[in-house]
Amino acid sequence: MTTPLISPSILNCDIARLEDELRKISSADIAHVDVMDNHFVPNLTWGLPVVEACVNTGILPIDAHLMIEDPDRWAPAYAEAGCASVTFHAEAASAPIRTAREIRRLGARAALALKPSTDIAPYVDILPEVDMILIMTVEPGFGGQSFLESMLPKIQRTRDAIASASLDISIQVDGGVSRKTIERAADAGATNFVAGSAIFRADDAFEEIATLRSLAQLHMH
């Protein structure tokens, strides 16, 4: 049976207390760090130095989600920096296979992210090149948005495509994941759950992570 992975997004954390904030979520499986360049998405967060700082704390493995233009050029540096996983967007990559192979060559898991309006169908044939598909369940750019129920069929289609190809690829969901929505996402086929405000605004982050994990486990196939 697959175990759900809980990946808290540090988007809404107190960046001045980065190490403390990572300790607050240390019972999670991986920390999700959103890199935004104010071009691909209308928000600017942080880049390689902050991601490296997160890696160097050694508290959790780091999952870098690159919401940036030209990931073909920039993504390998995040793998070199020691990220466990590097996610780049299908809409921004001009050479997704080459980029995924380069990320893997440098020792990280490679993941392909899809915005809500991007279908999985054109990417089914390149599934063997990646370790994870990220299905955005909000429009990327800002934390605290509501989960888009309309993404559930896409999660199911992705799960079916992975099963048909007999591949071991995880499906990550990011955006509006909370106690209210995680069960439906797990039921549709998600296995890796990014939650930001749901965890960082909780009174007890450890307890919230444990609750999300158990809710997802109940609904995973």
Side-chain angles (χ1 to χ4, degrees):
M1 191 174 188
T2 315
T3 310
L5 297 182
I6 304 297
S7 312
S9 163
I10 67 164
L11 192 57
N12 296 321
C13 83
D14 179 353
I15 191 67
R17 300 173 60 246
L18 184 57
E19 193 161 342
D20 291 339
E21 295 284 73
L22 286 167
R23 285 197 198 290
K24 193 159 109 179
I25 57 165
S26 60
S27 63
D29 298 286
I30 194 163
H32 188 86
V33 184
D34 292 300
V35 176
M36 305 184 195
D37 64 357
N38 218 19
H39 294 281
F40 180 68
V41 288
N43 194 3
L44 184 66
T45 54
W46 35 65
L48 198 54
V50 169
V51 172
E52 284 181 318
C54 291
V55 169
N56 290 338
T57 65
I59 295 167
L60 279 171
I62 301 301
D63 170 21
H65 177 193
L66 308 182
M67 295 179 238
I68 61 172
E69 287 182 353
D70 203 5
D72 305 296
R73 179 180 177 192
W74 301 112
Y78 288 84
E80 275 185 308
C83 291
S85 180
V86 179
T87 303
F88 61 94
H89 269 266
E91 305 85 4
S94 50
I97 294 173
R98 190 181 72 215
T99 299
R101 287 183 176 180
E102 188 62 8
I103 290 168
R104 283 173 151 183
R105 187 184 70 76
L106 292 164
R109 285 161 55 84
L112 186 69
L114 307 176
K115 287 164 82 169
S117 57
T118 304
D119 194 27
I120 185 64
Y123 302 99
V124 166
D125 291 341
I126 69 163
L127 284 174
E129 302 288 345
V130 299
D131 302 287
M132 183 170 79
I133 295 288
L134 165 53
I135 294 174
M136 292 299 300
T137 41
V138 297
E139 284 293 345
F142 295 92
Q145 298 185 68
S146 297
F147 183 89
L148 293 172
E149 297 281 332
S150 53
M151 293 301 103
L152 294 172
K154 183 158 91 176
I155 297 169
Q156 284 170 322
R157 285 197 303 279
T158 305
R159 180 184 72 190
D160 293 345
I162 290 167
S164 297
S166 302
L167 294 167
D168 181 17
I169 295 176
S170 54
I171 298 175
Q172 186 178 65
V173 286
D174 178 4
V177 173
S178 67
R179 293 184 190 201
K180 289 181 183 153
T181 57
I182 197 166
E183 294 168 297
R184 275 162 290 171
D187 214 25
T191 55
N192 183 317
F193 305 87
V194 176
S197 39
I199 290 172
F200 275 100
R201 290 188 189 142
D203 293 333
D204 183 334
F206 272 43
E207 187 186 326
E208 196 63 26
I209 289 164
T211 301
L212 290 172
R213 196 181 270 128
S214 60
L215 286 172
Q217 184 75 72
L218 286 170
H219 290 263
M220 273 171 51
H221 299 272

